[in-house]
Amino acid sequence: MDVSDRVVSPVLIIGRSGRAFSAALGGRRIVRDRVITSLAPSISHNWVVEGQTVRPLPSDIGKVVHRLLGARNPDELSFADVVALLATPLELIPVEADEGVFVPARTEAELLPDDFSIPGLNATLFPYQARGVQWMLDIGRHTGGFILADEMGLGKTIQIIAVLLAEQPTPDAPALIVCPTSLIANWKQEILRFAPELSVLVHRGPYRTGVSSGLRKAQIVITTYDTLVSDIAIFASVCWSWLICDEAQALKNPDSQRRRAIASIPRKRSVPMTGTPVETSLLDLWSLVDLAIPRLLGSREDFKARFPDDEESARGLAQFTNPIVLRRRVADVAGDLPERIDIDVPLELGPELSRQYAQVLADTLERYPVAGALVATGQLQLFCAHPWLQGGGPADDDDDAQIERRPAVPLMTPKLERTVAILSEAFQSGQKVLVFAIFNRCGELVREAARGLPDAYWGAINGSTPQEERQKIVDEFSAFDGPGCLVLNPKAAGAGLNITAATIVIHYTQAWNPALEAQASARAHRRGQTEPVRIYRLFYEDTVERVMIDRSEWRRDLGNDAVPISTREVADLKRALSFNPGAENV
């Protein structure tokens, strides 16, 4: 065997076998544009064998690798170890991952059997759900956490219940489910329905315990985010077998009190659940991943330096997060769902409303010279909903914008006319309709405009509707023998509620965050729906609403959930203010 005296460049190669990761030391050289990689006998050797030739590595490479690995066993690396090693500065030693190290969760789940069953589960899982449960059980044992990000309507709740039934917690180390107040009853009901052998304790309200031992009386404890913050001392005194965070978008702000409280809870496995893992910035994803697997993506400061908020960083980040984020879409895995028909309805303001729109823009920019851009977009959204609506700030703060009737402006606008036409057709055929509007008083205007239509059920759910009344309203709407209209604020009723009695959805106002619209549509188009669902988006051309529609389409076409909306924030805001449909009339 020949011995070369030419030192080759070192490289640390990460490989994978099953769920096991390992590190191997190699040497690399380029011959006629061809890369040749050879392995060392171990990470302690400073030479490699290439065919019949022994080639040296740098003499101190063994010390470098041992210093890099620290206490890690090179033959038994964790997923977190792999991610940390790949962040090693190139000047120390290049670290590379073999193909197959970072396999997306969805790809791995698709390879699992369809016929997985769990004793005691009072339901037959759909094939994709069975595969998802198997994947979650496996990844949970090996990483200690993951994110369940299936699209709305695919049954995230029953999959989690199946996981808890397959690997049952004990009262000494119970599972903790944290969710919004509106979903407490749903979680309890679903557990009792699908896994009645599991014991459940709801910790909320005046009957909650004041000592940690009071939480160790059932296999599963359900509480709300606000209650957990208030009682963090007793929650932090229990080592939980599972920490399940439903509607985990509530935890995306790492500085929030509830996010800090959740992070302080001792637990063996963590599962943030959300259909929208990224909404505004990549820090959203860091916040959720760091809850699922603490320190996987490094500190917050290191993360922001390594992954700035742009599309290139988002795609690079996806390599590390896709293996622990299970994200399936309705269109991908639920072919047995009835047809969904999306119908965009562009509208024209008309000369007089265009003139008024332009006047609102000019007046607002003059009145608010510093924060004018943000306030103006909010005022223009209000105007597009209806000129009678009046509020003082950005649209997100104007849920309760008031109605100021103006004799010179009629009730019926192009948008209301189209809404009434859709309602009329629906009512005549006995169908039920959901109308989503981010301004609460829109419901009053819609009902007033539709006063000449056939008798129907009318209801509304918004932020002022008591939590305990919301499901009751949905039940009444669903049980009503005839047509109906339910007007919903998507921030209050755009998640968690199952309203499959409706077969028509109208998005009366648009949202800057396309995830809000997707969640709202999923209230009707989800498991349990037996009829085709028509989804209408009503918007005015050449207004702020056109920008909002285009923003939603951009995000959908991009097809990458890790890309933050904020990458287009400045451009979208500038474009929203560039439209002036009535400039010639001002």
PDB file of all heavy atoms in Angstrom, residues 230-258:
ATOM      1  N   SER A 230     -51.349  31.947  35.725  1.00  0.00           N
ATOM      2  CA  SER A 230     -51.717  32.306  37.095  1.00  0.00           C
ATOM      3  C   SER A 230     -51.221  31.280  38.109  1.00  0.00           C
ATOM      4  O   SER A 230     -50.840  31.629  39.227  1.00  0.00           O
ATOM      5  CB  SER A 230     -53.242  32.442  37.203  1.00  0.00           C
ATOM      6  OG  SER A 230     -53.721  33.464  36.368  1.00  0.00           O
ATOM      7  N   ASP A 231     -51.230  29.999  37.718  1.00  0.00           N
ATOM      8  CA  ASP A 231     -50.876  28.919  38.639  1.00  0.00           C
ATOM      9  C   ASP A 231     -49.544  28.265  38.279  1.00  0.00           C
ATOM     10  O   ASP A 231     -49.342  27.080  38.524  1.00  0.00           O
ATOM     11  CB  ASP A 231     -51.983  27.854  38.632  1.00  0.00           C
ATOM     12  CG  ASP A 231     -53.301  28.387  39.165  1.00  0.00           C
ATOM     13  OD1 ASP A 231     -53.299  29.479  39.759  1.00  0.00           O
ATOM     14  OD2 ASP A 231     -54.333  27.710  38.984  1.00  0.00           O
ATOM     15  N   ILE A 232     -48.634  29.027  37.709  1.00  0.00           N
ATOM     16  CA  ILE A 232     -47.392  28.442  37.209  1.00  0.00           C
ATOM     17  C   ILE A 232     -46.597  27.754  38.307  1.00  0.00           C
ATOM     18  O   ILE A 232     -45.909  26.754  38.057  1.00  0.00           O
ATOM     19  CB  ILE A 232     -46.525  29.521  36.504  1.00  0.00           C
ATOM     20  CG1 ILE A 232     -45.298  28.873  35.857  1.00  0.00           C
ATOM     21  CG2 ILE A 232     -46.148  30.614  37.468  1.00  0.00           C
ATOM     22  CD1 ILE A 232     -45.624  27.809  34.839  1.00  0.00           C
ATOM     23  N   ALA A 233     -46.692  28.221  39.540  1.00  0.00           N
ATOM     24  CA  ALA A 233     -45.914  27.616  40.627  1.00  0.00           C
ATOM     25  C   ALA A 233     -46.269  26.149  40.819  1.00  0.00           C
ATOM     26  O   ALA A 233     -45.385  25.305  40.994  1.00  0.00           O
ATOM     27  CB  ALA A 233     -46.132  28.396  41.928  1.00  0.00           C
ATOM     28  N   ILE A 234     -47.562  25.829  40.791  1.00  0.00           N
ATOM     29  CA  ILE A 234     -47.934  24.421  41.006  1.00  0.00           C
ATOM     30  C   ILE A 234     -47.714  23.601  39.738  1.00  0.00           C
ATOM     31  O   ILE A 234     -47.349  22.427  39.810  1.00  0.00           O
ATOM     32  CB  ILE A 234     -49.381  24.274  41.519  1.00  0.00           C
ATOM     33  CG1 ILE A 234     -50.394  24.823  40.519  1.00  0.00           C
ATOM     34  CG2 ILE A 234     -49.541  24.948  42.865  1.00  0.00           C
ATOM     35  CD1 ILE A 234     -51.826  24.521  40.903  1.00  0.00           C
ATOM     36  N   PHE A 235     -47.907  24.186  38.565  1.00  0.00           N
ATOM     37  CA  PHE A 235     -47.658  23.440  37.326  1.00  0.00           C
ATOM     38  C   PHE A 235     -46.170  23.110  37.186  1.00  0.00           C
ATOM     39  O   PHE A 235     -45.798  22.044  36.693  1.00  0.00           O
ATOM     40  CB  PHE A 235     -48.139  24.229  36.108  1.00  0.00           C
ATOM     41  CG  PHE A 235     -49.612  24.130  35.868  1.00  0.00           C
ATOM     42  CD1 PHE A 235     -50.457  25.182  36.192  1.00  0.00           C
ATOM     43  CD2 PHE A 235     -50.172  22.977  35.331  1.00  0.00           C
ATOM     44  CE1 PHE A 235     -51.818  25.092  35.977  1.00  0.00           C
ATOM     45  CE2 PHE A 235     -51.535  22.878  35.104  1.00  0.00           C
ATOM     46  CZ  PHE A 235     -52.369  23.932  35.426  1.00  0.00           C
ATOM     47  N   ALA A 236     -45.323  24.020  37.611  1.00  0.00           N
ATOM     48  CA  ALA A 236     -43.883  23.802  37.506  1.00  0.00           C
ATOM     49  C   ALA A 236     -43.365  22.828  38.559  1.00  0.00           C
ATOM     50  O   ALA A 236     -42.197  22.422  38.506  1.00  0.00           O
ATOM     51  CB  ALA A 236     -43.148  25.141  37.634  1.00  0.00           C
ATOM     52  N   SER A 237     -44.226  22.414  39.477  1.00  0.00           N
ATOM     53  CA  SER A 237     -43.819  21.459  40.511  1.00  0.00           C
ATOM     54  C   SER A 237     -44.089  20.011  40.106  1.00  0.00           C
ATOM     55  O   SER A 237     -43.803  19.098  40.874  1.00  0.00           O
ATOM     56  CB  SER A 237     -44.566  21.764  41.818  1.00  0.00           C
ATOM     57  OG  SER A 237     -44.257  23.066  42.271  1.00  0.00           O
ATOM     58  N   VAL A 238     -44.627  19.823  38.918  1.00  0.00           N
ATOM     59  CA  VAL A 238     -44.928  18.482  38.419  1.00  0.00           C
ATOM     60  C   VAL A 238     -44.058  18.213  37.197  1.00  0.00           C
ATOM     61  O   VAL A 238     -43.882  19.091  36.353  1.00  0.00           O
ATOM     62  CB  VAL A 238     -46.414  18.353  38.031  1.00  0.00           C
ATOM     63  CG1 VAL A 238     -46.716  16.971  37.439  1.00  0.00           C
ATOM     64  CG2 VAL A 238     -47.307  18.628  39.231  1.00  0.00           C
ATOM     65  N   CYS A 239     -43.518  16.996  37.093  1.00  0.00           N
ATOM     66  CA  CYS A 239     -42.792  16.602  35.889  1.00  0.00           C
ATOM     67  C   CYS A 239     -43.792  15.879  34.976  1.00  0.00           C
ATOM     68  O   CYS A 239     -44.216  14.761  35.252  1.00  0.00           O
ATOM     69  CB  CYS A 239     -41.614  15.692  36.208  1.00  0.00           C
ATOM     70  SG  CYS A 239     -40.622  15.289  34.738  1.00  0.00           S
ATOM     71  N   TRP A 240     -44.175  16.537  33.914  1.00  0.00           N
ATOM     72  CA  TRP A 240     -45.220  16.045  33.036  1.00  0.00           C
ATOM     73  C   TRP A 240     -44.658  15.081  31.993  1.00  0.00           C
ATOM     74  O   TRP A 240     -43.574  15.311  31.452  1.00  0.00           O
ATOM     75  CB  TRP A 240     -45.900  17.217  32.341  1.00  0.00           C
ATOM     76  CG  TRP A 240     -46.470  18.207  33.314  1.00  0.00           C
ATOM     77  CD1 TRP A 240     -45.833  19.294  33.847  1.00  0.00           C
ATOM     78  CD2 TRP A 240     -47.776  18.185  33.885  1.00  0.00           C
ATOM     79  NE1 TRP A 240     -46.658  19.952  34.716  1.00  0.00           N
ATOM     80  CE2 TRP A 240     -47.869  19.300  34.756  1.00  0.00           C
ATOM     81  CE3 TRP A 240     -48.881  17.347  33.752  1.00  0.00           C
ATOM     82  CZ2 TRP A 240     -49.016  19.583  35.485  1.00  0.00           C
ATOM     83  CZ3 TRP A 240     -50.024  17.630  34.470  1.00  0.00           C
ATOM     84  CH2 TRP A 240     -50.090  18.727  35.327  1.00  0.00           C
ATOM     85  N   SER A 241     -45.394  14.020  31.714  1.00  0.00           N
ATOM     86  CA  SER A 241     -44.937  13.074  30.691  1.00  0.00           C
ATOM     87  C   SER A 241     -45.102  13.662  29.294  1.00  0.00           C
ATOM     88  O   SER A 241     -44.281  13.414  28.408  1.00  0.00           O
ATOM     89  CB  SER A 241     -45.716  11.762  30.795  1.00  0.00           C
ATOM     90  OG  SER A 241     -47.109  11.979  30.635  1.00  0.00           O
ATOM     91  N   TRP A 242     -46.172  14.427  29.090  1.00  0.00           N
ATOM     92  CA  TRP A 242     -46.415  15.106  27.815  1.00  0.00           C
ATOM     93  C   TRP A 242     -46.875  16.531  28.105  1.00  0.00           C
ATOM     94  O   TRP A 242     -47.645  16.752  29.031  1.00  0.00           O
ATOM     95  CB  TRP A 242     -47.519  14.412  27.003  1.00  0.00           C
ATOM     96  CG  TRP A 242     -47.165  13.069  26.435  1.00  0.00           C
ATOM     97  CD1 TRP A 242     -47.308  11.858  27.053  1.00  0.00           C
ATOM     98  CD2 TRP A 242     -46.634  12.804  25.143  1.00  0.00           C
ATOM     99  NE1 TRP A 242     -46.899  10.848  26.215  1.00  0.00           N
ATOM    100  CE2 TRP A 242     -46.477  11.403  25.032  1.00  0.00           C
ATOM    101  CE3 TRP A 242     -46.274  13.602  24.054  1.00  0.00           C
ATOM    102  CZ2 TRP A 242     -45.980  10.788  23.885  1.00  0.00           C
ATOM    103  CZ3 TRP A 242     -45.778  12.991  22.912  1.00  0.00           C
ATOM    104  CH2 TRP A 242     -45.635  11.600  22.833  1.00  0.00           C
ATOM    105  N   LEU A 243     -46.423  17.467  27.321  1.00  0.00           N
ATOM    106  CA  LEU A 243     -46.934  18.830  27.349  1.00  0.00           C
ATOM    107  C   LEU A 243     -47.483  19.127  25.959  1.00  0.00           C
ATOM    108  O   LEU A 243     -46.721  19.252  24.988  1.00  0.00           O
ATOM    109  CB  LEU A 243     -45.833  19.830  27.705  1.00  0.00           C
ATOM    110  CG  LEU A 243     -46.203  21.309  27.586  1.00  0.00           C
ATOM    111  CD1 LEU A 243     -47.360  21.659  28.514  1.00  0.00           C
ATOM    112  CD2 LEU A 243     -45.000  22.196  27.880  1.00  0.00           C
ATOM    113  N   ILE A 244     -48.814  19.197  25.848  1.00  0.00           N
ATOM    114  CA  ILE A 244     -49.477  19.424  24.566  1.00  0.00           C
ATOM    115  C   ILE A 244     -49.990  20.860  24.554  1.00  0.00           C
ATOM    116  O   ILE A 244     -50.772  21.252  25.425  1.00  0.00           O
ATOM    117  CB  ILE A 244     -50.670  18.459  24.367  1.00  0.00           C
ATOM    118  CG1 ILE A 244     -50.270  17.015  24.702  1.00  0.00           C
ATOM    119  CG2 ILE A 244     -51.242  18.598  22.972  1.00  0.00           C
ATOM    120  CD1 ILE A 244     -49.262  16.405  23.793  1.00  0.00           C
ATOM    121  N   CYS A 245     -49.566  21.653  23.597  1.00  0.00           N
ATOM    122  CA  CYS A 245     -49.984  23.053  23.504  1.00  0.00           C
ATOM    123  C   CYS A 245     -50.828  23.242  22.252  1.00  0.00           C
ATOM    124  O   CYS A 245     -50.289  23.302  21.137  1.00  0.00           O
ATOM    125  CB  CYS A 245     -48.776  23.985  23.465  1.00  0.00           C
ATOM    126  SG  CYS A 245     -47.695  23.845  24.908  1.00  0.00           S
ATOM    127  N   ASP A 246     -52.155  23.275  22.410  1.00  0.00           N
ATOM    128  CA  ASP A 246     -53.048  23.452  21.272  1.00  0.00           C
ATOM    129  C   ASP A 246     -53.130  24.925  20.889  1.00  0.00           C
ATOM    130  O   ASP A 246     -52.966  25.804  21.729  1.00  0.00           O
ATOM    131  CB  ASP A 246     -54.440  22.912  21.625  1.00  0.00           C
ATOM    132  CG  ASP A 246     -55.293  22.672  20.396  1.00  0.00           C
ATOM    133  OD1 ASP A 246     -54.781  22.842  19.266  1.00  0.00           O
ATOM    134  OD2 ASP A 246     -56.473  22.297  20.555  1.00  0.00           O
ATOM    135  N   GLU A 247     -53.396  25.168  19.589  1.00  0.00           N
ATOM    136  CA  GLU A 247     -53.396  26.541  19.068  1.00  0.00           C
ATOM    137  C   GLU A 247     -52.114  27.247  19.510  1.00  0.00           C
ATOM    138  O   GLU A 247     -52.125  28.344  20.079  1.00  0.00           O
ATOM    139  CB  GLU A 247     -54.638  27.306  19.541  1.00  0.00           C
ATOM    140  CG  GLU A 247     -55.955  26.679  19.115  1.00  0.00           C
ATOM    141  CD  GLU A 247     -56.202  26.729  17.618  1.00  0.00           C
ATOM    142  OE1 GLU A 247     -55.499  27.479  16.921  1.00  0.00           O
ATOM    143  OE2 GLU A 247     -57.098  26.000  17.134  1.00  0.00           O
ATOM    144  N   ALA A 248     -50.991  26.592  19.230  1.00  0.00           N
ATOM    145  CA  ALA A 248     -49.697  27.051  19.760  1.00  0.00           C
ATOM    146  C   ALA A 248     -49.217  28.346  19.133  1.00  0.00           C
ATOM    147  O   ALA A 248     -48.179  28.875  19.553  1.00  0.00           O
ATOM    148  CB  ALA A 248     -48.636  25.954  19.573  1.00  0.00           C
ATOM    149  N   GLN A 249     -49.941  28.865  18.149  1.00  0.00           N
ATOM    150  CA  GLN A 249     -49.578  30.189  17.647  1.00  0.00           C
ATOM    151  C   GLN A 249     -49.631  31.231  18.755  1.00  0.00           C
ATOM    152  O   GLN A 249     -49.038  32.305  18.648  1.00  0.00           O
ATOM    153  CB  GLN A 249     -50.470  30.598  16.474  1.00  0.00           C
ATOM    154  CG  GLN A 249     -51.954  30.638  16.774  1.00  0.00           C
ATOM    155  CD  GLN A 249     -52.653  29.336  16.440  1.00  0.00           C
ATOM    156  OE1 GLN A 249     -52.043  28.276  16.444  1.00  0.00           O
ATOM    157  NE2 GLN A 249     -53.936  29.421  16.125  1.00  0.00           N
ATOM    158  N   ALA A 250     -50.328  30.900  19.839  1.00  0.00           N
ATOM    159  CA  ALA A 250     -50.384  31.799  20.998  1.00  0.00           C
ATOM    160  C   ALA A 250     -49.031  31.900  21.697  1.00  0.00           C
ATOM    161  O   ALA A 250     -48.855  32.740  22.581  1.00  0.00           O
ATOM    162  CB  ALA A 250     -51.441  31.317  21.985  1.00  0.00           C
ATOM    163  N   LEU A 251     -48.077  31.052  21.326  1.00  0.00           N
ATOM    164  CA  LEU A 251     -46.776  31.005  22.012  1.00  0.00           C
ATOM    165  C   LEU A 251     -45.639  31.488  21.124  1.00  0.00           C
ATOM    166  O   LEU A 251     -44.471  31.283  21.441  1.00  0.00           O
ATOM    167  CB  LEU A 251     -46.496  29.571  22.471  1.00  0.00           C
ATOM    168  CG  LEU A 251     -47.561  28.934  23.364  1.00  0.00           C
ATOM    169  CD1 LEU A 251     -47.248  27.457  23.590  1.00  0.00           C
ATOM    170  CD2 LEU A 251     -47.655  29.667  24.690  1.00  0.00           C
ATOM    171  N   LYS A 252     -45.964  32.105  20.014  1.00  0.00           N
ATOM    172  CA  LYS A 252     -44.913  32.472  19.066  1.00  0.00           C
ATOM    173  C   LYS A 252     -44.077  33.668  19.503  1.00  0.00           C
ATOM    174  O   LYS A 252     -42.968  33.850  19.023  1.00  0.00           O
ATOM    175  CB  LYS A 252     -45.539  32.742  17.688  1.00  0.00           C
ATOM    176  CG  LYS A 252     -46.014  31.454  17.031  1.00  0.00           C
ATOM    177  CD  LYS A 252     -46.712  31.719  15.724  1.00  0.00           C
ATOM    178  CE  LYS A 252     -47.173  30.404  15.114  1.00  0.00           C
ATOM    179  NZ  LYS A 252     -47.961  30.600  13.902  1.00  0.00           N
ATOM    180  N   ASN A 253     -44.598  34.465  20.415  1.00  0.00           N
ATOM    181  CA  ASN A 253     -43.826  35.598  20.926  1.00  0.00           C
ATOM    182  C   ASN A 253     -42.997  35.120  22.116  1.00  0.00           C
ATOM    183  O   ASN A 253     -43.532  34.881  23.197  1.00  0.00           O
ATOM    184  CB  ASN A 253     -44.759  36.724  21.355  1.00  0.00           C
ATOM    185  CG  ASN A 253     -44.006  37.905  21.939  1.00  0.00           C
ATOM    186  OD1 ASN A 253     -42.772  37.927  21.972  1.00  0.00           O
ATOM    187  ND2 ASN A 253     -44.736  38.895  22.419  1.00  0.00           N
ATOM    188  N   PRO A 254     -41.677  34.972  21.939  1.00  0.00           N
ATOM    189  CA  PRO A 254     -40.859  34.436  23.041  1.00  0.00           C
ATOM    190  C   PRO A 254     -40.803  35.335  24.259  1.00  0.00           C
ATOM    191  O   PRO A 254     -40.380  34.901  25.327  1.00  0.00           O
ATOM    192  CB  PRO A 254     -39.469  34.284  22.400  1.00  0.00           C
ATOM    193  CG  PRO A 254     -39.472  35.209  21.233  1.00  0.00           C
ATOM    194  CD  PRO A 254     -40.885  35.276  20.739  1.00  0.00           C
ATOM    195  N   ASP A 255     -41.240  36.589  24.127  1.00  0.00           N
ATOM    196  CA  ASP A 255     -41.219  37.512  25.258  1.00  0.00           C
ATOM    197  C   ASP A 255     -42.530  37.520  26.031  1.00  0.00           C
ATOM    198  O   ASP A 255     -42.628  38.177  27.072  1.00  0.00           O
ATOM    199  CB  ASP A 255     -40.923  38.940  24.775  1.00  0.00           C
ATOM    200  CG  ASP A 255     -39.531  39.061  24.185  1.00  0.00           C
ATOM    201  OD1 ASP A 255     -38.608  38.436  24.745  1.00  0.00           O
ATOM    202  OD2 ASP A 255     -39.368  39.748  23.164  1.00  0.00           O
ATOM    203  N   SER A 256     -43.548  36.832  25.532  1.00  0.00           N
ATOM    204  CA  SER A 256     -44.839  36.866  26.200  1.00  0.00           C
ATOM    205  C   SER A 256     -44.796  36.092  27.510  1.00  0.00           C
ATOM    206  O   SER A 256     -44.012  35.158  27.685  1.00  0.00           O
ATOM    207  CB  SER A 256     -45.930  36.289  25.294  1.00  0.00           C
ATOM    208  OG  SER A 256     -45.744  34.907  25.099  1.00  0.00           O
ATOM    209  N   GLN A 257     -45.668  36.453  28.406  1.00  0.00           N
ATOM    210  CA  GLN A 257     -45.713  35.817  29.728  1.00  0.00           C
ATOM    211  C   GLN A 257     -46.096  34.348  29.607  1.00  0.00           C
ATOM    212  O   GLN A 257     -45.533  33.485  30.279  1.00  0.00           O
ATOM    213  CB  GLN A 257     -46.703  36.562  30.617  1.00  0.00           C
ATOM    214  CG  GLN A 257     -46.638  36.183  32.086  1.00  0.00           C
ATOM    215  CD  GLN A 257     -47.566  37.021  32.949  1.00  0.00           C
ATOM    216  OE1 GLN A 257     -48.427  37.723  32.443  1.00  0.00           O
ATOM    217  NE2 GLN A 257     -47.378  36.965  34.261  1.00  0.00           N
ATOM    218  N   ARG A 258     -47.053  34.042  28.730  1.00  0.00           N
ATOM    219  CA  ARG A 258     -47.484  32.646  28.602  1.00  0.00           C
ATOM    220  C   ARG A 258     -46.388  31.787  27.975  1.00  0.00           C
ATOM    221  O   ARG A 258     -46.210  30.643  28.362  1.00  0.00           O
ATOM    222  CB  ARG A 258     -48.776  32.560  27.793  1.00  0.00           C
ATOM    223  CG  ARG A 258     -48.694  33.074  26.372  1.00  0.00           C
ATOM    224  CD  ARG A 258     -50.010  32.878  25.627  1.00  0.00           C
ATOM    225  NE  ARG A 258     -51.149  33.467  26.299  1.00  0.00           N
ATOM    226  CZ  ARG A 258     -52.371  33.498  25.802  1.00  0.00           C
ATOM    227  NH1 ARG A 258     -52.604  32.954  24.617  1.00  0.00           N
ATOM    228  NH2 ARG A 258     -53.363  34.063  26.457  1.00  0.00           N
TER     229      ARG A 258
END
